[in-house]
Amino acid sequence: MKTVYLAMSADIITPAHVNIIREATALGEVVIGLLTDSAVAGFQRMPHMPYDERKFVLENIVGVKEVVIQESLDYVTNLQRIKPDYVMHRDDWNTGVLRGTRQGIIDTLKQWGGKLIEPSYMPGLTSASLSQSLRDVGTTPQNRLGMLKRLLEAKPMVRIIEAHSGLTGLIAENVSVQVDDQRREFDGIWMSSLTDSAAKAKPDIEYVDITSRMNTVGDILETTTKPIIYDGDSGGIPEHFVFMVRTLERLGVSAVIIEDKKGLKKNSLFGTDVPQMQDNIEDFADKITRGKQAQVTDEFMIIARIESLILKAGMDDALKRAKAFIAAGANGIMIHSKEETAAEVMTFCKEYKKFGDNVPLVVVPSTYSQTTEDELEAAGVRIVIYANQLLRSAYPAMIRTAESILKHGRASDSAEFCMPIKEIIRLIPEGSEGRS
Ligand code: SPV
Ligand code: MG
């Protein structure tokens, strides 16, 4: 009996999948290499369904003998092990990300006289178009909640951008660029206290209350499917924090980050220019533990944010706190800094690695913005948050337009700064929640 190897991500099964499996069974026993979340996330969005669910579906399709794990787009490791007589793939892969893969397969198969079979591409319903439709429908709170943990398992670094409204949520959801053969986009959303407050013309001092913050979360939930990390400020008193955790979880938010401050919280980027007090280790650790006890799901993450570098309490204090907060149950540590270089963050990363317990590390490179994602990733950072850039870029653009109208006594001179009227009226499609 011959063996035929097919690779798939199989997130949404269409008749095209069943057909190619059927064609493969005519040649021999079908082994499917199922791409892991990580392999898929390397070149496009994460699959809707986790690996085990996709595997379960495939294993129950008539004609599939075995489903094996394929850890990257590159088939070669699996081919060397299985030595199939045939590899089958539709003939539509001569461009894009799979170009190099194809030649590698042909060369590998040659070693034992195997052949690449390329049945012609069948137009019709594709999983890509179905996937888009699914995104238009949205997601469930449960699916969204678990997505941050899945991303952390699948990707070396998770890239998050701030949103403070339904509209900025749409930007975080939809903007993508093509870099080389890869589609690059944001993995999730930061619900910043700074920009949520600033959009309401309020200072970032925990004055915008939780009810109002949750309204913003609601607007963002409506226009997005990506995971949300909520900026919980200090988390308030522990008795209130447990309610915050439950509310966020119920909505499908993936994580809350709380900072080890007490009293009147001011924005961290003021540093020591304004009086700010750091909470003591025991009390903050207790708040984390109480939050962990309050949560209902396994997936919700409570991330502890350490302000020692901001408040000039020193590296040793920061590291001591990281250890204590992890022991208290924190699912992640955010180390904040307002220096213009990443030097102190890098020192923290180096020492943090020595803990060896792999609790994800989060950074917010607002002031040390020259530092690249690659540098942060190499230092062991798992989540990078662009915390305020959408609001900071929108504000000067609006000022420029307002000044132009005043200066010229008419609006046409500002048109070059504005999107066309035709576009704004179509930006949010009627009859849907705006995903496009
Ligand atoms: C926020 O975005 O609200 C933050 C990050 O908490 S920072 O503004 O740097 O404190
Ligand atoms: Mg904040």
Side-chain angles (χ1 to χ4, degrees):
M1 195 67 175
K2 307 263 186 198
T3 305
V4 195
Y5 186 86
L6 289 169
M8 293 183 178
S9 52
D11 192 20
I12 303 168
I13 300 284
T14 68
H17 291 90
V18 178
N19 272 323
I20 197 164
I21 291 168
R22 195 178 280 170
E23 287 172 53
T25 52
L27 294 173
E29 284 184 334
V30 178
V31 177
I32 295 186
L34 181 61
L35 296 176
T36 56
D37 276 3
S38 177
V40 178
F43 68 101
Q44 63 182 39
R45 274 191 197 188
M46 285 270 285
H48 298 276
M49 287 193 288
Y51 182 88
D52 288 345
E53 290 179 19
R54 294 183 282 123
K55 181 166 187 267
F56 177 68
V57 171
L58 275 182
E59 280 171 344
N60 286 286
I61 290 182
V62 174
V64 175
K65 175 162 178 277
E66 198 187 350
V67 178
V68 298
I69 193 163
Q70 185 171 323
E71 312 234 27
S72 80
L73 268 191
D74 184 14
Y75 288 45
V76 172
T77 319
N78 276 5
L79 297 187
Q80 295 282 13
R81 188 167 58 78
I82 296 163
K83 299 204 166 39
D85 302 285
Y86 304 105
V87 167
M88 203 182 243
H89 195 288
R90 293 272 173 217
D91 65 354
D92 61 336
W93 60 338
N94 257 327
T95 54
V97 69
L98 289 171
R99 223 177 15 231
T101 308
R102 180 175 179 273
Q103 195 52 49
I105 292 170
I106 294 171
D107 296 344
T108 309
L109 285 169
K110 252 191 213 143
Q111 295 167 17
W112 54 86
K115 265 178 69 181
L116 175 65
I117 311 273
E118 296 173 292
S120 58
Y121 173 71
M122 287 194 325
L125 204 54
T126 64
S127 38
S129 66
L130 270 181
S131 176
Q132 185 55 51
S133 316
L134 254 189
R135 290 193 200 289
D136 290 344
V137 173
T139 180
T140 62
Q142 203 178 351
N143 192 309
R144 189 197 297 251
L145 198 162
M147 196 53 99
L148 184 63
K149 269 210 168 151
R150 279 182 63 202
L151 280 163
L152 282 165
E153 279 160 20
K155 300 186 78 170
M157 191 160 77
V158 174
R159 184 189 294 120
I160 304 287
I161 190 161
E162 159 259 334
H164 53 273
S165 60
L167 189 64
T168 45
L170 268 186
I171 293 173
E173 177 76 13
N174 291 328
V175 170
S176 71
V177 294
Q178 200 72 20
V179 182
D180 303 323
D181 275 340
Q182 291 191 357
R183 183 188 157 93
R184 192 180 285 177
E185 58 182 85
F186 293 98
D187 297 305
I189 296 156
W190 168 240
M191 226 302 259
S192 155
S193 68
L194 171 64
T195 64
D196 192 19
S197 305
K200 295 172 170 60
K202 296 288 185 293
D204 183 16
I205 53 172
E206 298 189 88
Y207 172 70
V208 177
D209 70 7
I210 189 120
T211 310
S212 172
R213 301 276 322 273
M214 290 302 159
N215 277 335
T216 313
V217 171
D219 290 342
I220 295 170
L221 289 171
E222 278 187 22
T223 56
T224 63
T225 63
K226 292 182 177 177
I228 297 174
I229 302 177
Y230 181 82
D231 176 358
D233 290 317
S234 69
I237 59 172
E239 290 81 354
H240 290 180
F241 180 54
V242 294
F243 279 96
M244 187 193 281
V245 167
R246 289 259 176 103
T247 304
L248 292 169
E249 235 188 338
R250 201 161 47 237
L251 291 170
V253 170
S254 300
V256 63
I257 300 188
I258 52 170
E259 58 196 274
D260 56 354
K261 289 223 202 84
K262 67 176 177 188
L264 178 61
K265 189 222 82 150
K266 301 264 178 87
N267 185 273
S268 298
L269 302 176
F270 282 121
T272 50
D273 297 348
V274 294
Q276 305 209 56
M277 237 199 306
Q278 206 170 6
D279 201 354
N280 69 58
I281 295 183
E282 295 69 31
D283 288 351
F284 195 71
D286 178 56
K287 199 187 294 190
I288 293 165
T289 305
R290 289 221 232 166
K292 288 308 293 175
Q293 284 163 353
Q295 75 183 60
V296 178
T297 65
D298 286 337
E299 289 89 359
F300 187 75
M301 298 173 72
I302 296 179
I303 299 174
R305 161 171 167 178
I306 296 170
E307 294 285 297
S308 306
L309 305 181
I310 295 278
L311 299 172
K312 304 284 174 223
M315 189 61 66
D316 288 347
D317 184 69
L319 289 162
K320 190 163 116 193
R321 282 169 181 267
K323 273 205 180 106
F325 300 157
I326 290 169
N331 306 108
I333 293 291
M334 171 180 152
I335 184 67
H336 205 13
S337 164
K338 64 177 278 293
E339 294 298 301
E340 281 179 5
T341 75
E344 65 179 14
V345 168
M346 291 298 181
T347 306
F348 182 90
C349 289
K350 213 164 124 200
E351 295 302 315
Y352 187 79
K353 245 186 206 163
K354 293 182 191 160
F355 295 3
D357 49 20
N358 285 330
V359 174
L361 186 60
V362 185
V363 300
V364 180
S366 296
T367 52
Y368 54 97
S369 58
Q370 298 271 356
T371 311
T372 63
E373 291 173 5
D374 287 347
E375 289 166 318
L376 295 170
E377 185 183 319
V381 169
R382 301 296 319 283
I383 300 181
V384 60
I385 300 179
Y386 297 97
N388 47 44
Q389 285 77 6
L390 292 185
L391 185 108
R392 281 170 56 212
S393 53
Y395 185 75
M398 290 190 280
I399 297 268
R400 195 175 47 190
T401 298
E403 285 176 350
S404 168
I405 293 171
L406 283 177
K407 211 186 283 171
H408 297 97
R410 61 180 190 185
S412 67
D413 308 85
S414 67
E416 60 174 310
F417 314 132
C418 297
M419 69 196 288
I421 288 177
K422 264 194 191 144
E423 273 179 36
I424 184 76
I425 60 175
R426 292 202 169 74
L427 184 63
I428 315 295
E430 287 177 32
S432 93
E433 283 163 340
R435 288 172 213 103
S436 61

